[in-house]
């Protein structure tokens, strides 16, 4: 592995010529482990907090390390760099625990400028490049080795330190600079240019404590939002805030409250359930005791000028400053300081454009990468503000006035309906639009509209185009920055989504994960349809909404709508049916409630049909993405927005990536479920009908299956009830059987077929049924086993060898029992006498399924009252803990402690001792058959 140079720092020793050598740290042998994290940052940096964790060399450690770094940085308020830090940590920890196979130590150091993260492993081998050779980072397509490439691409500084026993890769991420600046005073303006506000401007003053709870709530806040102070004091502000947040872009409300100052727009849920758009200014303060809190000033969104007064300077080529030098036209138009985020820049742009041309509204659209559509990103003065991310074609009609690539002036939109789709039904009559271009490429469109016709001429179009030319580059730069942040956030999102989906093979859990990963990150609500086979109709399997109270209503609505067609074409397609049905249902409900539908006036009962809230929830854009796995459509993922909201293209592309991963995970879960169901069905077909009651003999069996039961075992059993532990408890490996033969005799058997799978299961079924048939024909034990041996050999390549203990039991008048036993390659049965002595009850003989001519014989064993016969499979005797094995002697030692116990208690004590012998889960099936002749005084 090559070491990385630290950009912008000096190497320890300047080289006279050639390329500088990689920075490495030399330490003497025997250095303590703390030296691994020695500080080699610039001495001016001060560590203000640290967090450390160590991770084992297993695959799941990568996800745990990502969560550790994410939680740590979010706790420090470093939301701007969380995604980069998570991606880099993921790659470096993967190199350590997966590729190098060692423990990984992660150390996070908070400084005044940002964060430094160190990832150490115990694999110090390295490749030091020659001074004259270029450092090769390897192919980006290979599986490993991308950690240093990502460090070089994303980190502010990075490097690799070596000791004789450790390798330490570190990287530094600096916080982005946030312009603080001072508020600029605006010029005196005529009254008709002043911003509009209500007669009584109310400013809500909230104070948020360290934990995010509301500690102060003034009277204006009560008036604006309808909550008395007693109802909200102590509650988190996040319970009331409707925060517009998409993955990788913007700042969340919790993060905004931790910043020293913040201004922007979001919503507050009123007491009547509606969302009031507010403009807020946050200031972080601390009291005399050092306790931090955040003071929030909020006004109605259209009164934002109370907190943020825009400059209303007429646009010109350049405005001379007081010192005689020209002022940047961009600063003249946008004002200073310029917003540092794309949404803020776009919103400031439309407001300045509206004021510059004295319009009633303004809007700005950004072009998609292929320049075929424009996406609504900012507007002011329009009810279509709710139509954020709606898309319109670049070429809306023939001629220059139908193309967003050329400036256009419309004197009266009533004469050309549909010329500007965004202004349909808004009351706007005249409009001027100009393109935003960078190096001849269309990047957006800026427009200003007025309610009166004939307001704009070519002169206004030239002024607006001049302003658009000045801001186009800044807008494109901010847009590319947003796309890059979204890409990084999407990468981190998909990495974690893949980990979650790969961590389960349960179908229902996979469906739940699909929905929970999309809501509310990608959509407001989602529904998952599944298709059992090509002849089946799509079935609504899962519905989720960010508001749990609306889930039942949406589920009821979708159940009345025909499911979308299972089209395998990749990509998202719009599905209008839910919105149309919801709108019609809401209209009918409203008419019934007003008595306009021919019936009496009444309120619509809750739970009967979709409510108005449900109609609003699904009234926005709804898209369907196919779930395609192994060239077959296995379902559809449906994503929806509330009324008049649309998806942005980047979110749809991220959802498409997620749908591909989710489809494969869902299909894997289906295949696993089918395989498990087949295995369990086959195993159940091998089970005996029940356990016979034998007068004078207690019989008990216990069975434990190894693993999760996804294989049909070669060991089989034939008795009920049986007890199994863990998942897949109907899939067995060992077998046992107790069945009546006739004339008061009972046959019993316990055995183990070699291997697992269908062939072993076939031998299991053959053995179980053959034993019963042959025994009931009156054949002796050796004859039964010899014929069974021939039947197994007749299976040819499908045959499996079989260890089997078979016997016949008859009770006697004196209370004892006589057993005739044949032990063919099986662990020997053990007899426990009343005095506590344990002896083998048979001798070993050849196993079945190997040689044709078997010479077998049976042995007679007498069980006196109080005696116990214990029969087990090799999963019991071969239980291991490291190099130790329970063995026959260990089993006999446990059996000596069972004197006086019933057959059930004996079997339970043996199983408990076997399970406690080792800490690991059993690697083989285990079967125990205990038979006991009760004494004169039967135990309770």
């Amino acid at each position: 592995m090559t070491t990385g140079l630290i950009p912008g720092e000096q190497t320890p020793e300047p080289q006279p010529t050639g390329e500088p050598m990689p920075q490495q740290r030399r330490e003497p042998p025997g250095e303590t482990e703390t030296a691994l994290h020695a500080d080699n940052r610039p001495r001016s940096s001060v560590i203000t907090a640290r967090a450390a964790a160590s991770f084992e060399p297993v695959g799941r450690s990568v996800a745990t390390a990502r969560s550790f770094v994410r939680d740590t940085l979010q706790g420090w308020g470093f939301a701007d760099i969380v995604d980069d830090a998570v991606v880099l940590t993921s790659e470096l920890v993967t190199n350590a625990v997966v590729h190098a196979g060692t423990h990984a130590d992660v150390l996070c150091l908070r400084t005044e400028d940002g964060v430094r993260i160190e990832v150490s492993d115990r694999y110090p081998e390295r490749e030091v490049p020659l001074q004259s050779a270029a450092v090769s980072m390897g192919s980006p397509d290979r599986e490993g080795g991308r950690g240093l490439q990502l460090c070089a691409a994303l980190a502010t500084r990075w490097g690799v330190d070596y000791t004789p026993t450790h390798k330490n890769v570190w990287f530094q991420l600096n916080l982005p600079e946030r312009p603080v600046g001072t508020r600029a005073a605006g010029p005196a303006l005529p009254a008709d240019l002043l911003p509009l506000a209500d007669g009584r401007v109310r400013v809500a003053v909230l104070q948020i404590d360290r934990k995010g709870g509301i500690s102060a709530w003034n009277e204006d806040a009560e008036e604006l939002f309808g909550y008395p102070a007693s109802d909200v004091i102590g509650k988190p502000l996040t319970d009331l805030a409707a925060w517009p947040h998409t993955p990788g872009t913007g700042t969340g409300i919790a993060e905004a409250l931790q910043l020293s100052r913040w201004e922007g727009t979001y919503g507050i849920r009123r007491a009547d359930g509606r969302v009031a758009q507010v403009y807020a200014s946050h200031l972080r303060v601390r009291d005399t005791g050092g306790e931090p809190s955040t003071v929030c000033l909020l006004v109605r969104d259209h009164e934002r000028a109370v907190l943020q007064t825009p400059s209303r300077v007429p646009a010109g080529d350049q405005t001379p400053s007081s010192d005689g030098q020209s002022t940047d036209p961009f600063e003249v138009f946008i004002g200073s300081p310029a917003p540092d985020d794309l949404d803020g820049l776009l919103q400031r742009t439309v407001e300045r454009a509206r004021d510059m041309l004295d319009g009633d509204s303004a809007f700005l659209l950004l072009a998609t990468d292929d320049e075929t559509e424009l996406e609504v990103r900012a507007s002011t003065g329009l009810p279509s503000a709710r139509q954020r991310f709606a898309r319109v074609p670049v070429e809306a009609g023939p001629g220059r006035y139908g193309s967003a690539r050329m400036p256009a002036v419309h004197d009266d939109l009533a004469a050309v309906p549909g010329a500007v789709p965004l202004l349909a039904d808004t009351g706007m009559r005249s409009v001027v639009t100009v393109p935003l271009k960078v190096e001849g490429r269309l990047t957006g469109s800026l427009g200003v509209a007025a309610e009166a016709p004939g307001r704009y001429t070519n002169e206004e179009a030239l002024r607006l185009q001049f302003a658009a030319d000045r801001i186009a580059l800044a807008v494109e730069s901010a847009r590319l920055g947003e796309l890059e942040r979204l890409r990084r956030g999407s990468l981190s999102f998909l990495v974690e989504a893949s980990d979650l989906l790969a961590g389960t093979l349960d179908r229902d859990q996979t469906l739940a994960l699909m929905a929970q990963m999309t809501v509310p990150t990608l959509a407001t609500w989602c529904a998952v349809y599944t298709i059992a086979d090509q002849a089946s109709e799509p079935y609504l399997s899962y519905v989720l909404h960010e508001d749990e109270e609306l889930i039942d209503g949406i589920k009821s609505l979708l159940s009345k709508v025909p499911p979308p067609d299972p089209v395998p074409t990749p990509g998202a397609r719009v599905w209008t049916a839910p919105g149309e049905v919801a709108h019609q249902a809401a209209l009918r409900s409203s008419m019934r409630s007003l008595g306009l539908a021919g019936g009496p006036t009444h309120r619509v009962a809750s739970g009967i049909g979709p409510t108005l809230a449900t109609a609003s929830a699904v009234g926005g854009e709804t898209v369907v993405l196919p779930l395609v796995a192994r060239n077959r459509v296995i379902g559809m993922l449906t994503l929806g927005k509330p009324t008049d909201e649309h998806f942005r293209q980047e979110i749809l592309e991220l959802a498409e990536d997620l749908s591909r991963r989710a489809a494969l995970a869902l299909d894997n879960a289906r295949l696993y479920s089918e395989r498990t169901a087949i295995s369990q069905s086959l195993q159940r077909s091998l089970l005996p009908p029940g356990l016979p009651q034998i007068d004078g003999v207690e019989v008990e069996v216990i069975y434990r299956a190894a693993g999760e039961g996804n294989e049909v075992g070669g060991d089989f059993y034939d008795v009920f009830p049986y007890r199994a532990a863990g998942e897949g408890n109907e899939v067995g490996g060992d077998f046992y059987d107790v069945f009546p033969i006739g004339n008061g005799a009972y046959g019993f058997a316990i055995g183990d077929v070699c291997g697992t799978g269908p062939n072993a299961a076939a031998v299991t079924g053959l053995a179980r049924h053959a034993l019963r048939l042959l025994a009931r024909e009156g054949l002796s034990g050796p004859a039964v086993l010899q014929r069974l041996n021939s039947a197994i050999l007749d299976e040819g390549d499908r045959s499996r060898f079989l260890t089997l203990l078979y016997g016949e039991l008859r009770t006697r008048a004196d209370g004892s029992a006589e057993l005739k036993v044949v032990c063919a390659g099986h662990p020997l049965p053990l007899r426990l006498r009343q005095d506590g002595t344990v002896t083998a009850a048979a001798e070993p003989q050849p196993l079945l399924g190997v040689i044709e001519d078997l010479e077998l014989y049976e042995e007679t064993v007498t069980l006196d009252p109080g005696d116990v016969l214990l029969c087990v499979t090799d999963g019991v005797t071969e239980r291991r803990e490291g190099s130790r094995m329970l063995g026959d002697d260990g089993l006999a030692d446990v059996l000596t402690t069972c004197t006086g116990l019933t057959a059930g208690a004996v079997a339970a004590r043996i199983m408990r001792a076997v399970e406690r012998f080792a800490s690991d889960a059993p690697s083989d099936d285990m079967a125990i058959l205990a038979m006991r002749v009760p004494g004169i005084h039967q135990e309770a």
Side-chain angles (χ1 to χ4, degrees), residues 675 678-680 682-683 686 709-715 731-733 755-758 760-761:
R675 181 182 180 186
I678 292 173
S679 297
Q680 293 176 351
L682 179 56
Q683 186 65 68
L686 301 176
N710 56 0
E711 287 283 355
V712 176
D715 305 343
V731 178
T756 60

Side-chain angles (χ1 to χ4, degrees), residues 27 108 120 147 160 185 214 242 259 300 326 343 349 354 396 427 463 541 578 596 656 712 725 727 729 791 845 924-925:
E27 297 186 14
C108 301
S120 305
V160 184
I214 300 173
L259 300 177
R300 294 182 178 93
S326 297
D343 290 336
T349 297
R354 176 198 61 188
R463 292 178 60 194
S541 299
L596 301 178
E656 186 177 355
V712 176
E727 300 182 42
N729 55 3
Q845 300 184 56
D924 193 6
D925 300 339

Side-chain angles (χ1 to χ4, degrees), residues 525 529 553-564 575-590 592 608-620 622 643:
W525 64 272
Y529 290 85
I554 296 177
K555 188 180 299 184
S556 175
L557 173 68
L558 293 178
S559 65
K560 298 177 176 62
V561 178
W575 186 31
T576 60
E580 294 172 354
V581 173
H583 176 73
Q584 295 171 3
L587 181 61
R588 289 194 299 270
S589 299
S590 299
R592 285 197 299 268
I608 302 177
T611 63
L612 297 178
T614 301
S616 176
V618 301
T622 302
T643 300

